[in-house]
Amino acid sequence: MSVDNLEPSEFSPRQNAVLEQALRLLVDGGEKALTTSGVARAANCSKESLYKWFGDRDGLLSAMIAYQASKVRTFERNGERLTSVSLHDHLVIFS
């Protein structure tokens, strides 16, 4: 199963938990802390599972970004041109 073929909503609960641990490692320790060994240890899974689910480290990063982005609610623009006023209105509604 390649991460390229998955939408963030198609990640399993276990994969989501692994991606949460990867994000925690990245936030706590920076880029150097985000290793497949470190993620496997933090998420209590094997490196083989990480490679099977996400491919390489770049795939893990891509999946983590896609997963986090899927949790952000955005607004529908319906094709209208974005202006500073409409952006302000959307940000007020969002907040």
Side-chain angles (χ1 to χ4, degrees):
M1 178 184 320
S2 169
V3 72
D4 295 330
N5 300 332
L6 285 178
E7 291 295 316
S9 61
E10 295 175 348
F11 292 135
S12 72
R14 181 67 177 122
Q15 289 169 320
N16 290 342
V18 169
L19 293 172
E20 291 285 346
Q21 289 301 315
L23 178 64
R24 185 185 59 78
L25 285 174
L26 183 63
V27 169
D28 291 348
E31 182 184 354
K32 299 225 187 266
L34 189 66
T35 64
T36 53
S37 295
V39 172
R41 196 171 29 259
N44 197 27
C45 71
S46 68
K47 284 177 36 175
E48 290 79 13
S49 292
L50 292 178
Y51 287 115
K52 178 182 168 190
W53 292 334
F54 308 113
D56 57 8
R57 183 173 180 265
D58 288 342
L60 176 64
L61 282 169
S62 294
M64 185 176 52
I65 291 166
Y67 174 64
Q68 292 301 318
S70 74
K71 297 190 309 183
V72 176
R73 287 180 257 156
T74 60
F75 61 90
E76 296 293 324
R77 289 187 28 214
N78 298 326
E80 86 261 8
R81 185 175 178 92
L82 189 61
T83 65
S84 61
V85 172
S86 64
L87 180 59
H88 177 268
D89 292 344
H90 288 299
L91 289 173
V92 168
I93 291 167
F94 178 75
S95 64

